[in-house]
Amino acid sequence: MVVVALRDSLPADSLPARVIRERRVLQFNDVPNNVAVPPKYQEHARIGGYRVLMAVPMLCDDVAVGVITVNRADPTEFTDVQLELLKTFADQAVIATENVRLFKELQTSNRDLTTALDKQTATADILGVISRSQTDVQPVFDAILTSAIRLLRVSTGFLTRIVENQQELVALKAHNEGSEAAIRALFPQPLQSESVTAQAIRDRTPLNIVDYEVDSRVSERARVTARLHGYRSWVVVPMLRRADPVGAILIARREPGGFGEDEIALLQTFADQAVIAIENVRLFKELDAANRELAAA
C-alpha cells in the first residue's frame, strides 16, 4: 500500500493525478499489459511482480488531500468489501490529516496570542515603571532592555544616550562578563564614529544588519568584535524626540538573518517609551526647580 499526500503539484499523466481529477476509485487488472495504465506503472508492475492495482482518493469536503494505492500479485480483482474497507482507510487518513492541520493552526494561533499578550504586558509594565520613576530614568532603561531581550529571544542588548555630542552607555545585558566588558570599553563614543548605533542615530532610521560578515555598512572594527563574541545579526533603533535623536537601542543575535518587521516595530515601541521616560524626568525636574524658585520668592 502506498499513501501519496498532496503537497505539491503532480505530473498530469500520473495515476494519483488522474484519481484526483476524476474523484473516484480506479482499479486496473493485468497491469503490466493494460494499455489504460501509464507505461511507468506498467514497468513498476513488471518489476514489482503485481497484477492488480487500485487507487482511492482521499477527499475532505470534495477537496483532494491525497491518494491511497494498493496492489497484489494475485490477478483477481479487489472485491466490493475490500474496496469499502480501503475507502474507510482513506476517510480515516483524511481525518488524521485534518486533525494534524487543525492542531498546528491552533498551536500557531496560541503562539500568536501568547506573543501578543506578552508584548502588551511588557509595554504596560514599562509604562508602570515610567509612572513610578519621576526623577530617575534608569529603572525604565533597565526594564526596557530586559523586556526586549526576553521577547526577542536574544542574549545581548544595550541602550545608549546622547550626552554632549557623544554616546554614553546607559543599560547593558550581555551573555557573559567578557562580552559585557568589551561593550563597555566602546563607550563613550562620538556621534561621528563608524559604529552601527552612531549610523542609526545619524540616519534617524532603524539599521537591520542581516549578517555582519557580509554587510558593507559594518566597520572592520565592529566586524572583528562581532566575530570575537559570536554575534551575526544586529538591529539598532534610534530613540527620537520630535525627530531629534536622544539615543539608541541595539539588540544582537548569534544567528544570521536579521530581525523581522514585527520585531523592529516592537523595539521601536520600546524606544518611544524610553523617550517618554526621559521627557517625563526632564519635565518633572524643571517643574520641581520652578516650584523651589517660586517658594523661595
Side-chain angles (χ1 to χ4, degrees):
M1 182 174 70
V2 178
V3 179
V4 178
L6 188 60
R7 295 188 178 91
D8 303 312
S9 59
L10 298 170
D13 61 343
S14 69
L15 182 59
R18 180 180 171 185
V19 173
I20 289 171
R21 284 196 304 271
E22 298 182 12
R23 298 288 199 279
R24 65 186 181 92
V25 177
L26 295 179
Q27 183 170 192
F28 301 95
N29 299 323
D30 192 19
V31 177
N33 304 305
N34 192 329
V35 295
V37 178
K40 178 174 65 174
Y41 292 91
Q42 292 178 359
E43 181 65 21
H44 289 171
R46 282 191 286 269
I47 295 173
Y50 60 86
R51 301 290 301 280
V52 179
L53 174 67
M54 183 167 64
V56 177
M58 295 160 49
L59 303 175
C60 179
D61 296 329
D62 202 41
V63 176
V65 296
V67 176
I68 298 179
T69 62
V70 293
N71 58 67
R72 66 184 179 188
D74 187 337
T76 307
E77 287 188 354
F78 290 98
T79 65
D80 290 342
V81 173
Q82 292 170 326
L83 170 60
E84 291 302 319
L85 179 61
L86 199 59
K87 285 182 177 179
T88 299
F89 289 154
D91 292 340
Q92 291 175 332
V94 170
I95 292 172
T97 302
E98 277 297 282
N99 283 348
V100 171
R101 182 185 65 82
L102 292 173
F103 180 75
K104 289 182 176 179
E105 288 181 357
L106 180 60
Q107 277 189 317
T108 300
S109 177
N110 287 341
R111 281 196 299 269
D112 291 343
L113 288 173
T114 300
T115 299
L117 181 60
D118 285 345
K119 291 178 180 179
Q120 291 176 357
T121 301
T123 53
D125 289 344
I126 292 170
L127 290 175
V129 175
I130 291 174
S131 67
R132 297 190 300 270
S133 305
Q134 297 178 329
T135 60
D136 183 11
V137 76
Q138 189 60 48
V140 179
F141 291 154
D142 293 337
I144 286 173
L145 193 55
T146 298
S147 294
I149 286 177
R150 177 176 61 83
L151 292 175
L152 298 181
R153 295 181 292 279
V154 298
S155 59
T156 299
F158 61 80
L159 276 75
T160 68
R161 189 173 177 183
I162 299 174
V163 180
E164 297 180 357
N165 205 36
Q166 66 178 8
Q167 287 188 89
E168 291 188 356
L169 189 66
V170 295
L172 167 64
K173 288 185 180 296
H175 66 281
N176 60 47
E177 293 182 0
S179 293
E180 186 171 314
I183 294 173
R184 290 189 185 280
L186 298 174
F187 295 93
Q189 60 180 228
L191 293 181
Q192 299 307 314
S193 71
E194 295 181 338
S195 72
V196 289
T197 51
Q199 291 181 52
I201 287 173
R202 290 195 300 269
D203 295 340
R204 292 169 170 74
T205 188
L207 180 60
N208 190 13
I209 304 297
V210 174
D211 189 344
Y212 246 87
E213 292 291 345
V214 298
D215 199 308
S216 61
R217 296 170 295 179
V218 179
S219 67
E220 187 56 35
R221 179 187 179 188
R223 190 171 286 115
V224 170
T225 302
R227 291 193 195 110
L228 180 63
H229 300 289
Y231 308 134
R232 290 294 296 274
S233 57
W234 300 59
V235 62
V236 186
V237 174
M239 294 154 45
L240 304 176
R241 182 182 65 227
R242 294 187 292 275
D244 293 328
V246 297
I249 302 177
L250 180 147
I251 297 295
R253 275 196 179 125
R254 293 178 173 274
E255 305 82 14
F259 291 77
E261 293 182 1
D262 291 346
E263 294 174 313
I264 296 175
L266 176 62
L267 209 56
Q268 185 67 66
T269 298
F270 289 149
D272 294 341
Q273 290 180 320
V275 173
I276 291 172
I278 292 171
E279 279 295 278
N280 282 352
V281 170
R282 181 183 66 81
L283 292 173
F284 182 84
K285 288 182 177 180
E286 288 180 359
L287 179 61
D288 186 56
N291 286 340
R292 284 199 302 270
E293 290 176 3
L294 181 60

Short mmCIF file of all heavy atoms in Angstrom, two decimals, residues 114-178:
data_model
loop_
_atom_site.label_atom_id
_atom_site.label_comp_id
_atom_site.label_asym_id
_atom_site.label_seq_id
_atom_site.Cartn_x
_atom_site.Cartn_y
_atom_site.Cartn_z
N THR A 114 -0.20 34.35 22.59
CA THR A 114 0.73 34.45 23.72
C THR A 114 1.74 35.55 23.48
O THR A 114 2.06 36.34 24.39
CB THR A 114 1.45 33.11 23.93
OG1 THR A 114 0.48 32.10 24.20
CG2 THR A 114 2.41 33.19 25.10
N THR A 115 2.27 35.62 22.24
CA THR A 115 3.24 36.66 21.91
C THR A 115 2.63 38.04 22.04
O THR A 115 3.23 38.96 22.60
CB THR A 115 3.77 36.44 20.49
OG1 THR A 115 4.41 35.17 20.41
CG2 THR A 115 4.77 37.52 20.12
N ALA A 116 1.41 38.19 21.52
CA ALA A 116 0.73 39.48 21.59
C ALA A 116 0.48 39.87 23.05
O ALA A 116 0.67 41.04 23.43
CB ALA A 116 -0.59 39.43 20.83
N LEU A 117 0.06 38.89 23.85
CA LEU A 117 -0.19 39.18 25.26
C LEU A 117 1.10 39.55 25.98
O LEU A 117 1.12 40.48 26.80
CB LEU A 117 -0.83 37.96 25.92
CG LEU A 117 -1.16 38.10 27.42
CD1 LEU A 117 -2.14 39.25 27.64
CD2 LEU A 117 -1.75 36.81 27.96
N ASP A 118 2.18 38.84 25.66
CA ASP A 118 3.48 39.15 26.27
C ASP A 118 3.91 40.57 25.93
O ASP A 118 4.43 41.30 26.78
CB ASP A 118 4.54 38.16 25.80
CG ASP A 118 4.40 36.80 26.47
OD1 ASP A 118 3.68 36.72 27.48
OD2 ASP A 118 5.01 35.84 25.99
N LYS A 119 3.70 40.96 24.66
CA LYS A 119 4.09 42.31 24.24
C LYS A 119 3.26 43.37 24.96
O LYS A 119 3.79 44.38 25.43
CB LYS A 119 3.94 42.45 22.72
CG LYS A 119 4.95 41.64 21.93
CD LYS A 119 4.71 41.78 20.44
CE LYS A 119 5.72 40.97 19.64
NZ LYS A 119 5.48 41.06 18.18
N GLN A 120 1.95 43.12 25.04
CA GLN A 120 1.08 44.08 25.72
C GLN A 120 1.43 44.19 27.19
O GLN A 120 1.46 45.28 27.76
CB GLN A 120 -0.38 43.66 25.55
CG GLN A 120 -0.90 43.77 24.13
CD GLN A 120 -2.32 43.26 23.99
OE1 GLN A 120 -2.91 42.77 24.95
NE2 GLN A 120 -2.88 43.36 22.80
N THR A 121 1.72 43.03 27.81
CA THR A 121 2.08 43.03 29.22
C THR A 121 3.39 43.78 29.45
O THR A 121 3.52 44.55 30.40
CB THR A 121 2.21 41.58 29.73
OG1 THR A 121 0.97 40.90 29.54
CG2 THR A 121 2.57 41.56 31.20
N ALA A 122 4.36 43.53 28.55
CA ALA A 122 5.66 44.19 28.68
C ALA A 122 5.54 45.70 28.56
O ALA A 122 6.10 46.46 29.36
CB ALA A 122 6.64 43.65 27.64
N THR A 123 4.78 46.17 27.55
CA THR A 123 4.63 47.61 27.37
C THR A 123 3.87 48.23 28.54
O THR A 123 4.19 49.34 28.98
CB THR A 123 3.91 47.91 26.05
OG1 THR A 123 2.67 47.18 25.99
CG2 THR A 123 4.76 47.52 24.86
N ALA A 124 2.86 47.51 29.04
CA ALA A 124 2.12 48.02 30.19
C ALA A 124 3.01 48.08 31.43
O ALA A 124 2.95 49.06 32.20
CB ALA A 124 0.90 47.12 30.47
N ASP A 125 3.85 47.05 31.61
CA ASP A 125 4.76 47.06 32.75
C ASP A 125 5.73 48.23 32.68
O ASP A 125 6.05 48.88 33.69
CB ASP A 125 5.53 45.74 32.82
CG ASP A 125 4.65 44.56 33.23
OD1 ASP A 125 3.54 44.82 33.74
OD2 ASP A 125 5.08 43.41 33.03
N ILE A 126 6.24 48.50 31.47
CA ILE A 126 7.18 49.60 31.31
C ILE A 126 6.50 50.94 31.60
O ILE A 126 7.09 51.83 32.24
CB ILE A 126 7.79 49.58 29.89
CG1 ILE A 126 8.69 48.35 29.74
CG2 ILE A 126 8.61 50.85 29.64
CD1 ILE A 126 9.13 48.09 28.32
N LEU A 127 5.26 51.09 31.14
CA LEU A 127 4.53 52.32 31.45
C LEU A 127 4.36 52.48 32.96
O LEU A 127 4.41 53.60 33.49
CB LEU A 127 3.16 52.31 30.76
CG LEU A 127 3.19 52.45 29.23
CD1 LEU A 127 1.79 52.29 28.66
CD2 LEU A 127 3.78 53.80 28.82
N GLY A 128 4.17 51.34 33.65
CA GLY A 128 4.07 51.40 35.10
C GLY A 128 5.37 51.86 35.73
O GLY A 128 5.37 52.66 36.69
N VAL A 129 6.49 51.38 35.19
CA VAL A 129 7.80 51.81 35.70
C VAL A 129 8.00 53.30 35.44
O VAL A 129 8.53 54.04 36.28
CB VAL A 129 8.93 50.99 35.05
CG1 VAL A 129 10.30 51.51 35.49
CG2 VAL A 129 8.79 49.52 35.41
N ILE A 130 7.57 53.76 34.26
CA ILE A 130 7.69 55.19 33.92
C ILE A 130 6.93 56.04 34.92
O ILE A 130 7.42 57.07 35.41
CB ILE A 130 7.18 55.45 32.49
CG1 ILE A 130 8.13 54.82 31.46
CG2 ILE A 130 7.06 56.94 32.22
CD1 ILE A 130 7.62 54.90 30.03
N SER A 131 5.71 55.62 35.26
CA SER A 131 4.89 56.41 36.19
C SER A 131 5.50 56.47 37.58
O SER A 131 5.28 57.43 38.33
CB SER A 131 3.48 55.82 36.26
OG SER A 131 3.49 54.54 36.87
N ARG A 132 6.29 55.44 37.93
CA ARG A 132 6.91 55.42 39.26
C ARG A 132 8.30 56.03 39.29
O ARG A 132 8.88 56.19 40.36
CB ARG A 132 7.00 53.96 39.76
CG ARG A 132 5.65 53.28 39.95
CD ARG A 132 5.81 51.95 40.68
NE ARG A 132 6.66 51.01 39.93
CZ ARG A 132 6.18 50.15 39.02
NH1 ARG A 132 4.88 50.13 38.73
NH2 ARG A 132 7.00 49.32 38.39
N SER A 133 8.83 56.33 38.11
CA SER A 133 10.21 56.84 38.04
C SER A 133 10.20 58.28 37.56
O SER A 133 10.62 58.60 36.44
CB SER A 133 11.04 55.96 37.09
OG SER A 133 11.00 54.61 37.47
N GLN A 134 9.73 59.17 38.42
CA GLN A 134 9.59 60.57 38.03
C GLN A 134 10.92 61.33 38.06
O GLN A 134 11.07 62.35 37.39
CB GLN A 134 8.58 61.26 38.94
CG GLN A 134 7.18 60.68 38.83
CD GLN A 134 6.20 61.34 39.78
OE1 GLN A 134 6.58 61.78 40.85
NE2 GLN A 134 4.95 61.39 39.37
N THR A 135 11.86 60.85 38.82
CA THR A 135 13.12 61.57 38.96
C THR A 135 14.32 60.77 38.46
O THR A 135 15.43 61.30 38.42
CB THR A 135 13.37 61.95 40.43
OG1 THR A 135 13.42 60.76 41.23
CG2 THR A 135 12.26 62.85 40.94
N ASP A 136 14.13 59.50 38.10
CA ASP A 136 15.25 58.66 37.70
C ASP A 136 14.82 57.78 36.53
O ASP A 136 13.91 56.95 36.67
CB ASP A 136 15.73 57.79 38.87
CG ASP A 136 16.94 56.95 38.50
OD1 ASP A 136 17.53 57.19 37.43
OD2 ASP A 136 17.29 56.05 39.30
N VAL A 137 15.47 57.95 35.38
CA VAL A 137 15.08 57.22 34.19
C VAL A 137 15.75 55.84 34.11
O VAL A 137 15.35 55.00 33.30
CB VAL A 137 15.42 58.05 32.92
CG1 VAL A 137 16.92 58.01 32.63
CG2 VAL A 137 14.61 57.58 31.73
N GLN A 138 16.73 55.58 34.96
CA GLN A 138 17.47 54.32 34.87
C GLN A 138 16.59 53.07 35.02
O GLN A 138 16.76 52.11 34.28
CB GLN A 138 18.60 54.30 35.91
CG GLN A 138 19.56 53.12 35.73
CD GLN A 138 20.26 53.13 34.38
OE1 GLN A 138 20.76 54.15 33.95
NE2 GLN A 138 20.27 51.98 33.71
N PRO A 139 15.66 53.04 35.97
CA PRO A 139 14.79 51.85 36.06
C PRO A 139 14.02 51.57 34.78
O PRO A 139 13.75 50.40 34.45
CB PRO A 139 13.85 52.19 37.22
CG PRO A 139 14.62 53.17 38.05
CD PRO A 139 15.39 53.99 37.07
N VAL A 140 13.67 52.62 34.04
CA VAL A 140 12.95 52.44 32.78
C VAL A 140 13.86 51.81 31.74
O VAL A 140 13.47 50.87 31.04
CB VAL A 140 12.40 53.79 32.28
CG1 VAL A 140 11.67 53.58 30.95
CG2 VAL A 140 11.48 54.41 33.31
N PHE A 141 15.08 52.32 31.65
CA PHE A 141 16.04 51.72 30.71
C PHE A 141 16.24 50.24 31.00
O PHE A 141 16.26 49.41 30.09
CB PHE A 141 17.38 52.45 30.79
CG PHE A 141 17.35 53.86 30.26
CD1 PHE A 141 18.25 54.80 30.72
CD2 PHE A 141 16.44 54.24 29.30
CE1 PHE A 141 18.24 56.10 30.24
CE2 PHE A 141 16.41 55.54 28.80
CZ PHE A 141 17.31 56.47 29.28
N ASP A 142 16.41 49.92 32.25
CA ASP A 142 16.64 48.51 32.63
C ASP A 142 15.43 47.64 32.30
O ASP A 142 15.59 46.51 31.80
CB ASP A 142 16.95 48.43 34.13
CG ASP A 142 18.27 49.08 34.49
OD1 ASP A 142 19.13 49.20 33.60
OD2 ASP A 142 18.44 49.48 35.66
N ALA A 143 14.23 48.16 32.56
CA ALA A 143 13.01 47.38 32.28
C ALA A 143 12.83 47.18 30.77
O ALA A 143 12.43 46.10 30.32
CB ALA A 143 11.80 48.09 32.86
N ILE A 144 13.12 48.21 29.99
CA ILE A 144 13.00 48.11 28.54
C ILE A 144 13.96 47.07 27.99
O ILE A 144 13.58 46.21 27.18
CB ILE A 144 13.27 49.49 27.89
CG1 ILE A 144 12.07 50.42 28.11
CG2 ILE A 144 13.56 49.33 26.39
CD1 ILE A 144 12.29 51.83 27.64
N LEU A 145 15.20 47.11 28.42
CA LEU A 145 16.19 46.17 27.91
C LEU A 145 15.85 44.74 28.31
O LEU A 145 15.97 43.80 27.51
CB LEU A 145 17.58 46.55 28.42
CG LEU A 145 18.76 45.86 27.73
CD1 LEU A 145 18.70 46.07 26.22
CD2 LEU A 145 20.07 46.36 28.29
N THR A 146 15.40 44.55 29.54
CA THR A 146 15.02 43.21 30.00
C THR A 146 13.87 42.65 29.16
O THR A 146 13.89 41.49 28.74
CB THR A 146 14.61 43.25 31.48
OG1 THR A 146 15.74 43.67 32.26
CG2 THR A 146 14.15 41.89 31.96
N SER A 147 12.86 43.47 28.90
CA SER A 147 11.72 43.03 28.10
C SER A 147 12.11 42.75 26.66
O SER A 147 11.67 41.76 26.06
CB SER A 147 10.61 44.08 28.14
OG SER A 147 10.08 44.22 29.44
N ALA A 148 12.95 43.60 26.08
CA ALA A 148 13.37 43.42 24.69
C ALA A 148 14.14 42.12 24.51
O ALA A 148 13.90 41.36 23.56
CB ALA A 148 14.22 44.60 24.24
N ILE A 149 15.05 41.83 25.42
CA ILE A 149 15.84 40.61 25.32
C ILE A 149 14.97 39.37 25.49
O ILE A 149 15.13 38.37 24.80
CB ILE A 149 16.98 40.65 26.36
CG1 ILE A 149 18.05 41.64 25.90
CG2 ILE A 149 17.57 39.27 26.59
CD1 ILE A 149 19.18 41.83 26.88
N ARG A 150 14.00 39.45 26.40
CA ARG A 150 13.13 38.29 26.64
C ARG A 150 12.20 38.05 25.46
O ARG A 150 12.07 36.92 24.98
CB ARG A 150 12.33 38.50 27.92
CG ARG A 150 11.35 37.38 28.21
CD ARG A 150 10.65 37.60 29.54
NE ARG A 150 9.89 38.82 29.57
CZ ARG A 150 8.64 38.94 29.09
NH1 ARG A 150 8.04 37.90 28.55
NH2 ARG A 150 8.01 40.09 29.17
N LEU A 151 11.54 39.09 24.97
CA LEU A 151 10.55 38.92 23.92
C LEU A 151 11.18 38.62 22.56
O LEU A 151 10.59 37.89 21.75
CB LEU A 151 9.67 40.17 23.82
CG LEU A 151 8.75 40.43 25.01
CD1 LEU A 151 8.03 41.76 24.84
CD2 LEU A 151 7.74 39.31 25.17
N LEU A 152 12.35 39.15 22.29
CA LEU A 152 13.01 38.91 21.02
C LEU A 152 13.96 37.72 21.07
O LEU A 152 14.60 37.39 20.07
CB LEU A 152 13.77 40.17 20.57
CG LEU A 152 12.89 41.40 20.33
CD1 LEU A 152 13.72 42.58 19.89
CD2 LEU A 152 11.81 41.10 19.30
N ARG A 153 14.05 37.10 22.25
CA ARG A 153 14.84 35.88 22.43
C ARG A 153 16.28 36.05 21.95
O ARG A 153 16.79 35.33 21.10
CB ARG A 153 14.17 34.69 21.71
CG ARG A 153 12.83 34.31 22.30
CD ARG A 153 12.22 33.13 21.58
NE ARG A 153 11.83 33.46 20.23
CZ ARG A 153 10.71 34.08 19.89
NH1 ARG A 153 9.85 34.43 20.83
NH2 ARG A 153 10.42 34.33 18.64
N VAL A 154 16.94 37.05 22.52
CA VAL A 154 18.35 37.31 22.24
C VAL A 154 19.11 37.28 23.55
O VAL A 154 18.53 37.24 24.64
CB VAL A 154 18.54 38.67 21.53
CG1 VAL A 154 17.82 38.67 20.19
CG2 VAL A 154 18.03 39.82 22.40
N SER A 155 20.43 37.31 23.45
CA SER A 155 21.26 37.23 24.65
C SER A 155 21.95 38.54 24.99
O SER A 155 22.46 38.71 26.10
CB SER A 155 22.33 36.14 24.48
OG SER A 155 23.15 36.42 23.37
N THR A 156 21.97 39.48 24.03
CA THR A 156 22.73 40.71 24.24
C THR A 156 21.97 41.91 23.73
O THR A 156 21.32 41.85 22.68
CB THR A 156 24.10 40.63 23.52
OG1 THR A 156 24.84 39.54 24.06
CG2 THR A 156 24.89 41.91 23.71
N GLY A 157 22.05 42.99 24.46
CA GLY A 157 21.45 44.25 24.03
C GLY A 157 21.93 45.39 24.91
O GLY A 157 22.42 45.17 26.02
N PHE A 158 21.83 46.60 24.39
CA PHE A 158 22.20 47.75 25.22
C PHE A 158 21.49 49.02 24.73
O PHE A 158 20.99 49.07 23.59
CB PHE A 158 23.72 47.96 25.28
CG PHE A 158 24.40 48.21 23.96
CD1 PHE A 158 24.38 49.48 23.37
CD2 PHE A 158 25.08 47.20 23.31
CE1 PHE A 158 25.04 49.72 22.17
CE2 PHE A 158 25.73 47.43 22.11
CZ PHE A 158 25.71 48.69 21.52
N LEU A 159 21.44 50.01 25.61
CA LEU A 159 20.87 51.32 25.30
C LEU A 159 21.96 52.37 25.44
O LEU A 159 22.79 52.29 26.35
CB LEU A 159 19.72 51.67 26.25
CG LEU A 159 18.32 51.15 25.92
CD1 LEU A 159 18.21 49.67 26.23
CD2 LEU A 159 17.27 51.94 26.70
N THR A 160 21.92 53.33 24.53
CA THR A 160 22.84 54.47 24.65
C THR A 160 22.03 55.76 24.74
O THR A 160 20.87 55.80 24.31
CB THR A 160 23.79 54.55 23.44
OG1 THR A 160 23.04 54.91 22.27
CG2 THR A 160 24.51 53.24 23.22
N ARG A 161 22.67 56.78 25.26
CA ARG A 161 22.04 58.08 25.35
C ARG A 161 23.04 59.15 24.93
O ARG A 161 24.23 59.05 25.25
CB ARG A 161 21.56 58.33 26.79
CG ARG A 161 20.70 59.57 26.94
CD ARG A 161 20.12 59.67 28.34
NE ARG A 161 19.36 60.88 28.51
CZ ARG A 161 18.79 61.26 29.64
NH1 ARG A 161 18.90 60.48 30.73
NH2 ARG A 161 18.10 62.38 29.72
N ILE A 162 22.55 60.13 24.20
CA ILE A 162 23.42 61.19 23.71
C ILE A 162 23.64 62.23 24.81
O ILE A 162 22.68 62.78 25.35
CB ILE A 162 22.83 61.86 22.46
CG1 ILE A 162 22.68 60.84 21.33
CG2 ILE A 162 23.69 63.04 22.01
CD1 ILE A 162 21.98 61.37 20.11
N VAL A 163 24.89 62.46 25.13
CA VAL A 163 25.28 63.46 26.12
C VAL A 163 26.44 64.25 25.54
O VAL A 163 27.52 63.69 25.28
CB VAL A 163 25.70 62.82 27.46
CG1 VAL A 163 26.10 63.91 28.45
CG2 VAL A 163 24.57 61.96 28.02
N GLU A 164 26.22 65.55 25.29
CA GLU A 164 27.26 66.44 24.77
C GLU A 164 27.93 65.87 23.52
O GLU A 164 29.15 65.69 23.45
CB GLU A 164 28.31 66.72 25.86
CG GLU A 164 27.74 67.46 27.05
CD GLU A 164 28.80 67.73 28.11
OE1 GLU A 164 29.95 67.29 27.91
OE2 GLU A 164 28.47 68.39 29.11
N ASN A 165 27.11 65.56 22.53
CA ASN A 165 27.57 65.13 21.20
C ASN A 165 28.35 63.82 21.20
O ASN A 165 29.19 63.57 20.34
CB ASN A 165 28.43 66.22 20.55
CG ASN A 165 28.41 66.09 19.03
OD1 ASN A 165 27.39 65.74 18.44
ND2 ASN A 165 29.55 66.37 18.40
N GLN A 166 28.07 62.96 22.18
CA GLN A 166 28.65 61.63 22.16
C GLN A 166 27.67 60.65 22.79
O GLN A 166 26.75 61.05 23.52
CB GLN A 166 29.99 61.59 22.89
CG GLN A 166 29.90 61.86 24.38
CD GLN A 166 31.26 61.76 25.05
OE1 GLN A 166 32.29 61.64 24.38
NE2 GLN A 166 31.28 61.83 26.37
N GLN A 167 27.87 59.39 22.49
CA GLN A 167 27.01 58.35 23.05
C GLN A 167 27.59 57.82 24.35
O GLN A 167 28.78 57.51 24.42
CB GLN A 167 26.88 57.17 22.09
CG GLN A 167 26.03 57.40 20.87
CD GLN A 167 25.85 56.09 20.12
OE1 GLN A 167 24.91 55.33 20.38
NE2 GLN A 167 26.72 55.83 19.17
N GLU A 168 26.72 57.69 25.35
CA GLU A 168 27.11 57.06 26.59
C GLU A 168 26.25 55.82 26.81
O GLU A 168 25.06 55.82 26.48
CB GLU A 168 26.96 58.03 27.77
CG GLU A 168 27.94 59.17 27.73
CD GLU A 168 27.91 60.01 29.00
OE1 GLU A 168 27.07 59.72 29.89
OE2 GLU A 168 28.72 60.95 29.11
N LEU A 169 26.84 54.78 27.35
CA LEU A 169 26.13 53.53 27.61
C LEU A 169 25.32 53.69 28.90
O LEU A 169 25.87 54.02 29.95
CB LEU A 169 27.13 52.39 27.76
CG LEU A 169 26.57 50.97 27.85
CD1 LEU A 169 25.90 50.58 26.53
CD2 LEU A 169 27.69 49.99 28.19
N VAL A 170 23.99 53.44 28.81
CA VAL A 170 23.15 53.63 30.00
C VAL A 170 22.51 52.33 30.49
O VAL A 170 22.02 52.27 31.61
CB VAL A 170 22.05 54.68 29.73
CG1 VAL A 170 22.67 56.05 29.49
CG2 VAL A 170 21.19 54.29 28.53
N ALA A 171 22.51 51.29 29.65
CA ALA A 171 21.98 49.99 30.08
C ALA A 171 22.60 48.92 29.20
O ALA A 171 22.78 49.12 28.00
CB ALA A 171 20.45 49.96 29.97
N LEU A 172 22.91 47.77 29.81
CA LEU A 172 23.60 46.71 29.08
C LEU A 172 23.27 45.35 29.68
O LEU A 172 23.26 45.18 30.90
CB LEU A 172 25.12 46.93 29.13
CG LEU A 172 26.03 45.78 28.69
CD1 LEU A 172 25.82 45.45 27.23
CD2 LEU A 172 27.48 46.12 28.98
N LYS A 173 23.02 44.38 28.79
CA LYS A 173 22.88 42.98 29.19
C LYS A 173 23.60 42.14 28.14
O LYS A 173 23.27 42.22 26.96
CB LYS A 173 21.42 42.56 29.30
CG LYS A 173 20.70 43.15 30.50
CD LYS A 173 19.29 42.60 30.63
CE LYS A 173 18.56 43.20 31.81
NZ LYS A 173 19.19 42.87 33.10
N ALA A 174 24.59 41.35 28.55
CA ALA A 174 25.35 40.50 27.64
C ALA A 174 25.34 39.07 28.15
O ALA A 174 25.04 38.81 29.31
CB ALA A 174 26.78 41.01 27.50
N HIS A 175 25.71 38.13 27.26
CA HIS A 175 25.61 36.71 27.62
C HIS A 175 26.74 36.25 28.54
O HIS A 175 26.65 35.19 29.13
CB HIS A 175 25.57 35.84 26.37
CG HIS A 175 26.82 35.87 25.56
ND1 HIS A 175 27.13 36.90 24.70
CD2 HIS A 175 27.85 34.99 25.47
CE1 HIS A 175 28.28 36.65 24.12
NE2 HIS A 175 28.75 35.52 24.57
N ASN A 176 27.81 37.06 28.65
CA ASN A 176 28.85 36.72 29.62
C ASN A 176 29.62 37.98 30.01
O ASN A 176 29.47 39.04 29.37
CB ASN A 176 29.81 35.65 29.08
CG ASN A 176 30.52 36.08 27.80
OD1 ASN A 176 31.04 37.18 27.70
ND2 ASN A 176 30.53 35.20 26.81
N GLU A 177 30.43 37.88 31.05
CA GLU A 177 31.14 39.05 31.57
C GLU A 177 32.16 39.58 30.56
O GLU A 177 32.39 40.79 30.49
CB GLU A 177 31.84 38.68 32.88
CG GLU A 177 30.87 38.37 34.01
CD GLU A 177 31.61 38.06 35.30
OE1 GLU A 177 32.86 38.08 35.30
OE2 GLU A 177 30.93 37.81 36.32
N GLY A 178 32.78 38.70 29.77
CA GLY A 178 33.75 39.15 28.79
C GLY A 178 33.13 40.05 27.74
O GLY A 178 33.68 41.10 27.40
#
